[in-house]
Amino acid sequence: MVEDDAVTQKFSLPRAAALLGLLALGACGGGLGDTPSAPPVLTAPIAPPAVDAGEVIGEGAITVAMLLPISAGGSASGLAEAFKNAATLAMGDVEEDQIRIVVRDTGGDGETARAAAETAIADGAQAILGPVFAPAVAGASEPARAANVPVVAFSTDASVTGRGVYLLSFLPRQDAKRIVAFAARRGVRAFAGLVPENGYGLLMEAALREAVSSTGGRVTTVERYAPGGLDAAVAAIAARGAVEAVFVPNGGDDPTAAASALRTRGINARLLGSGQWDTSAVAQNPALSGAWFPGPSKGNFEAFARRFEVANGVAPPRTASLVYDATLLLNGLVATRGAAAFRRQALENTDGYIGLDGIFRLTRDGLSERGLAVYEVQNAGVRVIDPAPAQF
C-alpha cells in the first residue's frame, strides 16, 4: 500500500511514534508544551498507595483506573487482554512514568462498571481509561462525573458521552462526513445509500443525509436491507434512476455483494465505504476496484502491530491503537501540566494531538475528531488518494 508520505516520514521508526506521537500540534499555537505558567512539579511518593485491585501498569505518582471487560467472556475478554497489553506497551515507551494504571474488571455490564468506578475513585484514581462497551460507560460515568474524574472510553455509541466523558474511538459518523466531502469535491452530487436494517444502519443513514446536505448534494434514496436482502435493495435503487455514488458502510461480504448487484443492473456508480472496509478482504478484491473508503493512516499502526505481536505472541485488534494513544495522552498531560493535567482545558485542546492513527482531539460534547485519509481500491491493493490532514 502507498502510505501518506508526510506521516510516514514523521514516524519512520516504531519507537518514534511513542516518543513523539502525543505531542500537541504545535503548528496551531498551543498544546501540551504551551502552558500559561509552569505547572507544579509532581514527585512520586516513597511508596504507591495500597490498592485492592488487579494488575498495575506503570510506577507514576498519579493513579489512573482502566476499566475493562475482563470477566465478560468470549471475544470481550480477549479484547480486555489486548487493551491491557497495549497500555503496557505504551508505558514501556514513555520517557518517564507519570501515571500508574490500575486495571479493574467491569464484566462488560453497567452495574459492575459503576461499582468498579466508585472503588477506583475512592482509591485515588484521577482519571479513567475505558470502559469499552456502552452500558459499562454509562454505568461508570455517573460516579465519575460526581467526583469530577474524566473518563476516556472506547465505545462508539455517542449517546453515552457528556460532560467529562469522552470517546476516543473511530466514530462512524466521521466516516460518512469524510467520504462524502471527498466525493463532493470530485464532482459527485447524487448519492444513494445501502444500509443494514439495524442500529448501525440507522446511524449511518442519518450521517449520510447530514453529510450530503452539508455539501449541497442530494440523496436520491437510502435502502435498508436485512440479511440476504441486499439484492432487492439494489433493485430499489436502480428503480429510482441515475445515481453517481452508492454509500455502503457495512463491511464483511456486503461491499462485494453490493458491487456485484449494481453491475448486474448496469449501475455504474462509484462505491463509497466506511472504516469497516479497512480489511485485507477489501484490499485484495478486484471486484471493488475504484471504490473509495476513509480510514486512518496506516504506517504507524503497522509498526505498532509488529511490536505488539513480538511482545504478546498475537496480533492486536485494530482498536488497540486507541488504548496506546490514550495511555500516552494521559501520561503526557501529567508530564507537562502537572496538577492541571486532567482539566477540561487540557483534555479538550483544540489543536489536537498526534497519535498512531494520525491527528485527533477530544471535543466539548465528549466525542473525538480524527484526521482521516481516503483510500481507493485498486487491482494491486489500496492506495491513499487523499492524505489525512496534518492539523485541524
Side-chain angles (χ1 to χ4, degrees), residues 125-380:
Q126 296 186 32
I128 293 174
L129 288 175
V132 178
F133 303 122
V137 176
S141 295
E142 188 173 331
R145 284 197 187 100
N148 201 28
V149 170
V151 175
V152 180
F154 306 113
S155 169
T156 58
D157 185 343
S159 70
V160 297
T161 63
R163 179 179 59 84
V165 179
Y166 306 94
L167 298 184
L168 185 57
S169 310
F170 301 118
L171 298 177
R173 296 183 76 92
Q174 293 185 43
D175 288 351
K177 181 178 180 180
R178 177 67 165 107
I179 200 63
V180 166
F182 175 76
R185 292 202 306 271
R186 291 291 185 95
V188 176
R189 291 292 176 266
F191 296 80
L194 275 170
V195 301
E197 203 168 63
N198 55 29
Y200 174 73
L202 291 174
L203 173 66
M204 295 309 278
E205 176 180 350
L208 172 67
R209 293 186 184 280
E210 180 182 348
V212 171
S213 176
S214 70
T215 68
R218 63 190 178 90
V219 176
T220 60
T221 184
V222 176
E223 298 297 331
R224 303 170 190 164
Y225 59 91
L230 194 146
D231 193 69
V234 170
I237 288 178
R240 294 289 185 133
V243 62
E244 297 169 288
V246 180
F247 181 51
V248 186
N250 216 40
D253 296 330
D254 288 6
T256 303
S260 175
L262 289 166
R263 281 196 305 272
T264 297
R265 287 167 175 77
I267 301 176
N268 188 29
R270 178 83 62 176
L271 272 182
L272 306 178
S274 74
Q276 290 200 18
W277 284 38
D278 192 7
T279 66
S280 58
V282 167
Q284 297 167 6
N285 190 345
L288 296 173
S289 182
W292 297 336
F293 67 91
S297 298
K298 299 182 185 300
N300 298 326
F301 177 80
E302 290 168 354
F304 162 78
R306 288 192 293 270
R307 296 177 58 225
F308 185 101
E309 187 164 4
V310 168
N312 301 290
V314 295
R318 185 62 185 84
T319 48
S321 63
L322 304 176
V323 181
Y324 183 92
D325 283 354
T327 301
L328 290 185
L329 174 62
L330 297 192
N331 196 80
L333 286 171
V334 174
T336 57
R337 293 187 180 268
F342 302 146
R343 293 177 185 168
R344 292 187 64 178
Q345 299 94 314
L347 289 164
E348 297 171 11
N349 187 300
T350 56
D351 291 343
Y353 305 97
I354 306 174
L356 286 175
D357 299 308
I359 61 171
F360 69 92
R361 63 184 174 188
L362 300 174
T363 66
R364 291 176 60 87
D365 57 6
L367 300 176
S368 58
E369 294 179 356
R370 292 185 172 276
L372 300 175
V374 174
Y375 296 89
E376 181 177 88
V377 182
Q378 300 184 340
N379 289 332

